[in-house]
Amino acid sequence: MKTLMLLLLSLLPIFSKSQQPEAKPVKGTNVIYIKNDKSAAENYEVAAKTLLDNGFYIEQKDADFKTLKTQPRKINKSTYLYFLNIRATDHQIVIQGQFKTGIELSIGGVKDPDNYEQIKFRNISGYKLAFKSMENAALLFSMPLVFGEI
C-alpha cells in the first residue's frame, strides 16, 4: 500500500498543470514577461518608447501605476483586431492582450462593438494570430521573454 501511495505521489507532477513561467508558450499562456534589470520607472519609459518607435499608438497611460494600453491594431491581413495592456515593474515588463474579429454583430439594430477576448496561446486560428502578434510586440524589446499564465 505504501509503495502504491509513493508511486501515485511521484506521478502527481506529471498530471499537474504548472503555473511556473516557461521559456516557450504552452496552451493557456496569456502573459509575456520581459525580464531585465531596470526599475519600474525605467521599464515604463522603455515600454512607451519601444511601442511608439514601432508604430503602436498609446490609448491610455497611467504613470502612477506604470501601465499602458495600446490602440487596437489589425492583425496582418485578417479581420482580427488586438490591443496590448502593459505594466512596468521592477525587473520586468508584463504584456497581456485582448483580441476580437473586426466584424461587429448587430442584433435588432444593437451593435456589440466591445466583444474582446483575452489573448491566450491556443491551437485555434484567431488565438494563434493574436498570440503571435503579442509575441512579436514583446520581441521588439530585444530582451529575454518568459511566458506564463495569470
Side-chain angles (χ1 to χ4, degrees):
M1 187 65 162
K2 278 186 177 181
T3 307
L4 181 60
M5 276 301 258
L6 287 173
L7 178 62
L8 289 174
L9 285 173
S10 67
L11 292 175
L12 187 60
I14 294 171
F15 300 109
S16 298
K17 183 178 178 187
S18 173
Q19 293 293 323
Q20 296 298 315
E22 301 281 341
K24 60 183 184 175
V26 296
K27 185 177 178 185
T29 296
N30 64 357
V31 64
I32 300 174
Y33 301 97
I34 301 168
K35 300 292 188 175
N36 59 51
D37 60 355
K38 298 179 184 328
S39 70
E42 290 172 313
N43 277 328
Y44 183 67
E45 296 267 336
V46 166
K49 183 177 180 343
T50 299
L51 292 169
L52 291 171
D53 287 351
N54 287 282
F56 286 85
Y57 294 99
I58 308 296
E59 184 172 286
Q60 295 175 350
K61 62 181 183 169
D62 186 325
D64 291 333
F65 290 104
K66 310 281 187 278
T67 60
L68 301 165
K69 177 183 175 185
T70 66
Q71 285 185 346
R73 291 180 71 145
K74 194 171 186 179
I75 299 174
N76 298 329
K77 296 177 183 178
S78 72
T79 62
Y80 292 99
L81 298 172
Y82 78 103
F83 65 86
L84 301 174
N85 290 309
I86 295 155
R87 185 170 48 99
T89 64
D90 289 336
H91 310 294
Q92 68 184 3
I93 298 168
V94 182
I95 299 180
Q96 290 185 285
Q98 301 262 320
F99 81 104
K100 73 172 185 171
T101 65
I103 301 166
E104 291 185 4
L105 299 176
S106 178
I107 301 171
V110 178
K111 292 184 179 180
D112 183 18
D114 201 27
N115 55 347
Y116 282 91
E117 293 182 56
Q118 186 177 43
I119 294 175
K120 292 182 182 180
F121 186 76
R122 294 181 63 190
N123 200 18
I124 299 171
S125 179
Y127 285 94
K128 276 186 194 178
L129 289 170
F131 191 87
K132 190 63 178 167
S133 295
M134 185 169 76
E135 184 177 11
N136 287 341
L139 290 169
L140 295 171
F141 291 86
S142 300
M143 296 180 204
L145 306 182
V146 177
F147 299 93
E149 185 177 349
I150 293 180

